[in-house]
Amino acid sequence: MATPSINELPSTTETLTPSQHPTNITPTPNEPLSMETSSSINELPSAAETLTPSDNTPDPVEPIPSSDNVEEAVGEKRKRADDVKDPWWKTSLCSYFRKEASCSHGSECKYAHGEEELRRKPNNTWDPTSVRGKKAKAMKMSEEEVKEKDDGEVMFTEQMMDSIDDDGDDSVVVDPLLTKCISHLPVKWQSDELKKYIGEQGVEFKSAKKRKGMFVGFVTFENAEQVQRCLENLEGKAVGNKNLKISDVLPRTNKNMNGTKKSVKSAREAVTPLADMSYADQLEQKRTSIGQFLKKLTRNARKACPNGSSLPEWVLTSRDRGGLSCELEGIIESPITNGYRNKCEFSVGLSIQGKPTVGFSLGNFSAGVTAVEEPVDCPNVSKIAFLYASIFQTFIEKSKLQVWNRFKHSGFWRQLTVREGRKPGVFSNEEDADSRIAEVMLMVQVCTTDSDEAEVATEFEEMAKAFAEGARASSPTLPLTVLVVQDHTGISNVAPPDAPLRLVPIPMLDNGTNQEQTNNVMTEARIHDYINNLRFSISPTAFFQVNTVTAEKLYSLAGDWADLGPNTLLFDVCCGTGTIGLTLAHRVGMVIGIEMNASAVSDAERNAKINGISNCKFICSKAEDVMSSLLKQYVGVSQIEEAKPPSNANEQIPSTEEMSNSEHVDVQKIQNPPPPQEEVENNEQKPQFENVVAIVDPPRSGLHPAVIKALRTHPRLRRLVYISCNPETLVANAIELCTPSFDEADKGNKSYRGNRKLGIAGLARRRAKSMPTSEPFKPVKAMAVDLFPHTDHCEMVMLLER
């Protein structure tokens, strides 16, 4: 019989009429389908496809084989099916499973039941109706959009171009026509790995260079023939799971080789990509984005639930909310949309034209973008911050010391941070906000490695003089309260909290003369700001919300959702300078703040004293080290902890050094908690709180797993308000907090592939399996808060209860 093409074969979910079955052959629906050698497995329809009757019309029928030959034919079919390395029947999700979460094919169904069973098709693609297939399609479309926008050139400076040459001679002029940038290289590679790989591909070259941490490398050639060979042999070549891309390196001018003007990304586009949209459209886009994260939480929670157990109610009812894990209440807009930042960090580097510049980087260093452009037309920057950046740029242009070069890991001037402190009161508009700026702190980041101490001291004096003169020359005069220098040697400008700081005296110019006077009024490096009429003292590296007026709305919302009262014990996790706990202290019985930055804890204690608040205690330590002990001390030992001691010793006994010198903390009591029996006997000596609430405001990386474990396993903690500047990590943490516990037998079975690259949500699902048996939280409601107008970023608040 002539075998019909695979596209004409019915799926196993179809019901064939009796006339379509040979009378002398018993149909076997679970048997693999036979196919011609020339037929492609990729042409096999998925189980979700429904063929019309016309599609099932067979070809002209040849004589039907006798029943004696059926067994032999079936065996031949199985043999050919076994020869297939990747069985195609696991490449599609069962259509019945999709609709009813069950299957009518029986226990021998060959289709996948769930994403975990799904396999790639022989052409390395996924079932297009699956979650993986949809993600792959979206990623492909995104890459195509980027490719259409990509002009094929990478923005570098002249200094970067010189540093590409392996000889280290900066006098050598590199020909841009003979220099190429290779993108999508492994970030762990360095120059030696790049040279070896290029040589293995049969490409001759003059020099090749790559820094660890970048996914781009730079290759120079002797002639055009070598460049052409590079394009032929390396363009699109697969390395790992990515394909190489060959690009031109943009020279110092912003013109193409033919002399035509080239469009270059501006600082406004890099820092405030939504600035050209109306604010109403920005809010709608951000609200929609937060809704997508809530849907992502629902999808991942389904996967994270133990097999055989019922899904949580909030997951089952998510379809009533359009897939959202909880109700999205809306978005809180910022009262001020322009110049709202009270802290601006300006990078110091070379512009595309090779000019020393104080501004914003036009891209990521890992992508090979090193150009820095002035903060022109960046609406989130205040006028005062912009003027100080301009003053500093004028100074470094005349300085004897070089600006920082991340590629060479050399230079002196690295970054300028402008922090502003405002007077109390309500701001009605941007002009009113600028007029209320009363204090300004300037922090200049430098790298003093291999620098002459005397020359550095002279430069600092000249810098202080330039800032003071520039402030007085402006109209109106710019406030200048304190000037600090931070010494940092790392490649990135993100310095550790303990990086050395130096207070630089600010010269006071009297009647236009050059007579210098030391500002004796300022004995410490700090400024002050106000939230809800509370005065906050801020040190150079302490965290403080950059949008003060919107932060007031954020903290008020968190307090309302936390359902606070006089009998409430509030844990302020990752408290920074204590802004959340102090603004809500009048609504609770006691506040316990936890922060790892020692200067921030010092500020928090100072802020409590300044504002006459006595029911707040602050502890300097990592939250994961002390959270469990604090819950025991102030609330009581949970049943889980009594039954089984913590696996991590740090959760039980925090170190003395990490506890800081806080006068509010009884270190001995925390280090050596009394036995459970003694705690019960002395229970009347401890403050009693009927309501225990935690408000967490972690960094972008989210909460540490040990903190999540302590929050989830303590039965007295019934309400949790999560404030996140990165909704991606909020989703990951919520997976561990809100999914049912696994049985002991399943906790050891991770059921994941060790070599598989998991995202943060996937890692959270894996960690959820080892979570101690405990009652999960459930997401109740969420709110978006726009702390960062004109940017893609948005704060997210979620209430969790149990």
Side-chain angles (χ1 to χ4, degrees), residues 496-618:
D498 58 349
L501 297 175
R502 182 190 306 186
L503 186 63
V504 179
I506 302 173
M508 306 298 293
L509 301 183
D510 186 15
N511 296 328
T513 64
N514 291 330
Q515 181 181 2
E516 295 187 0
Q517 299 176 356
T518 303
N519 184 0
N520 294 320
V521 178
M522 201 65 201
T523 57
E524 289 186 282
R526 60 182 67 253
I527 59 173
H528 300 85
D529 207 332
Y530 289 82
I531 293 181
N532 290 344
N533 293 322
L534 296 180
R535 191 168 186 251
F536 289 92
S537 177
I538 307 169
S539 58
T541 59
F543 172 78
F544 195 79
Q545 288 288 2
V546 298
N547 189 339
T548 313
V549 289
T550 312
E552 293 183 356
K553 294 188 174 186
L554 173 66
Y555 298 156
S556 177
L557 174 71
D560 293 341
W561 283 11
D563 192 21
L564 306 178
N567 60 351
T568 298
L569 172 62
L570 174 61
F571 280 96
D572 185 4
V573 184
C574 306
C575 64
T577 55
T579 50
I580 297 178
L582 292 174
T583 55
L584 301 177
H586 68 285
R587 301 172 60 177
V588 301
M590 185 176 181
V591 176
I592 304 295
I594 307 172
E595 172 60 44
M596 63 179 293
N597 188 325
S599 62
V601 171
S602 177
D603 288 345
E605 294 174 346
R606 180 189 295 264
N607 293 332
K609 192 172 184 179
I610 290 174
N611 294 283
I613 299 174
S614 59
N615 63 337
C616 292
K617 298 184 180 181
F618 298 98

Side-chain angles (χ1 to χ4, degrees), residues 769-790:
K769 291 190 174 184
S770 58
M771 184 67 64
T773 302
S774 55
E775 182 184 359
F777 287 88
K778 65 177 181 179
V780 178
K781 52 186 174 181
M783 177 76 79
V785 183
D786 187 22
L787 257 70
F788 317 102
H790 308 303

